[in-house]
Amino acid sequence: MEFLPLFTDLKDKCCLVVGGGAVALRKANLLQKAGARLRVVAPEIDAELEQLAADNSGQCHHRAYTQDDLDGVFLAIAATDDEALNAQVSGDCHAANIPVNVVDNPALCSFILPAIIDRSPLVVAVSSGGRSPVLARIVRAKLESSIPAAYGRLAKLVGECRDAVKARFSDIEDRRLFWEKALDGPVAEMVYAGKEDAAKEMLQEQIASADAPSGGEVYLIGAGPGDPDLMTFKAMRLLQRADVVLYDRLVAPAIVELCRKDAQRVFVGKARSNHAVPQEDINQLLVDFAKQGRKVARLKGGDPFIFGRGGEEIAQLASERIPFQVVPGVTAAAGCASYAGIPLTHRDYAQSVRFVTGHLKDNSIDLPWSELVHTTQTVVFYMGLVGLPVICRELVAHGRHPDTPIALIQQGTTRDQKVVVATLATMVEEIARNPVKAPTLIIVGEVVELRRQLAWYENQGELVKPVV
């Protein structure tokens, strides 16, 4: 993070704008909305900008900038097309420890102005660190359409009732849980419908009758194979609600970063034959945290119920009578195959697909090999990298042709995705020449050949889908 987002109180503070054109007017409008007193300095000043300053007890000086213009200034903005002048303003401000923004020149800035979604008192700021203001505005436009204008009215209602909630609940966690429930229920719906008075009355009744929240809940969340964009809306919503997040190495770091910043993060490991936290202990952690009254997210790569041991975890939760929700995720087979350009089924090549774990509980590979060699079936091996030689050998030994195509996908759907294609006879040698690292997925079947026919290309280890 190059810039720390901060919201500054500018009410009745003097803010300098150097420049008198259209850009200076846009920046001055932002300052004025926040309650600042404007001091505008430029040889020529736009009439609208001059009127804006006059209407808000500001000043306009029709002359060149001097260092004396910084006297009594809280912050400054340089918005001219004179690079030397902008640099002078920046240098003077840095020397005087006055925050300064130089339009379109992040190197000269000590603060930057974000793109803003204004639902006052709720304000959302979007920034690219000065690298791409246009991209920040595009993101803002997307957010504008998804954040109702009524959120501002809802924020005002919450502000009016905060002291009452503080008086009702001394514990900060109890207050947070109360507000989460209130803001996701009928009170909020009434505000959205324009019934603020009825909403306030209902909220006050809830505050008066509310008891301290008791009992936790566990969310088993399928995080997908790695790309955060593949997570469901429900997964994102529950992840943001969680007080504690348990995750392992199969969950992409970018997904872990999506949890609340104040949530407790617990790494539970789970590498082959090297569990940082044994499964039994993970089950118990879920129980223990929930019994403390906390909302617990168990992030699981792919889908919780496809080789994710989710069944073991909910069994213990159910035995302890702890509420839980299971959120399906895009399983690794579907995600990795799609990003690698390999359809798992095809009318001409494979009428069925089978998901198989590459190692069992005791790390053996004792599979029903004779059932895995049908030529019209795609077989997907999870966690099969270590057992790759055995997989290739046994499939051939039980009747699959040595020339059967096989693909090994490393860290599928992420920026580190790598796809190695060979045959059952040659894959072990290919991996020796072209090493890969876990997590990996193995796809065996004629559908692998379709990767080339469907015109997916590999470029420096990253797959690029041609634009149609």
Side-chain angles (χ1 to χ4, degrees), residues 13-20 24 28 31-32 36-42 45 49 52-54 56-63 65-78 98:
K13 293 184 172 65
C14 181
C15 295
L16 173 67
V17 177
V18 180
L31 297 174
Q32 182 273 323
R37 287 186 292 107
L38 297 175
R39 178 182 296 172
V40 183
V41 177
I45 300 175
L49 175 54
L52 179 70
N56 294 277
S57 304
Q59 305 170 332
C60 286
H61 301 283
H62 293 260
R63 55 170 172 76
Y65 160 82
T66 68
Q67 191 172 357
D68 291 341
D69 290 320
L70 295 177
D71 290 347
V73 164
F74 183 76
L75 64 77
I77 295 177
I98 295 173

Side-chain angles (χ1 to χ4, degrees), residues 255-293:
I255 291 175
V256 178
E257 287 299 316
L258 295 175
C259 70
R260 286 198 343 247
K261 298 305 178 186
D262 61 335
Q264 179 181 351
R265 304 180 188 186
V266 181
F267 177 68
V268 292
K270 303 287 288 180
R272 177 187 170 100
S273 303
N274 181 25
H275 293 182
V277 180
Q279 183 63 50
E280 295 76 12
D281 292 349
I282 294 174
N283 299 347
Q284 191 59 49
L285 279 173
L286 297 175
V287 170
D288 292 344
F289 282 128
K291 285 186 174 180
Q292 295 170 15

Side-chain angles (χ1 to χ4, degrees), residues 225-227 336 339 408-419 436-441:
D227 185 347
C336 296
Y339 277 53
L408 193 150
I409 305 169
Q410 166 193 287
Q411 299 180 25
T413 78
T414 73
R415 296 183 64 180
D416 295 319
Q417 175 171 305
K418 177 180 179 180
V419 182
V436 297
K437 56 186 178 181
T440 60
L441 192 87

Side-chain angles (χ1 to χ4, degrees), residues 4 18 30 126 138 210 220 250 264 283 327 396 404 424 456 460:
L4 177 67
V18 180
L30 288 174
V126 180
I138 290 173
L220 268 65
L250 294 178
Q264 179 181 351
N283 299 347
V327 184
V396 172
T404 299
L424 289 176
W456 287 67
Q460 297 179 345

Side-chain angles (χ1 to χ4, degrees), residues 325-361:
Q325 297 185 48
V326 180
V327 184
V330 175
T331 189
C336 296
S338 295
Y339 277 53
I342 302 172
L344 293 176
T345 61
H346 188 281
R347 184 173 59 180
D348 297 330
Y349 299 101
Q351 288 74 55
S352 65
V353 59
R354 189 157 179 171
F355 299 162
V356 183
T357 179
H359 70 89
L360 302 182
K361 189 173 182 179

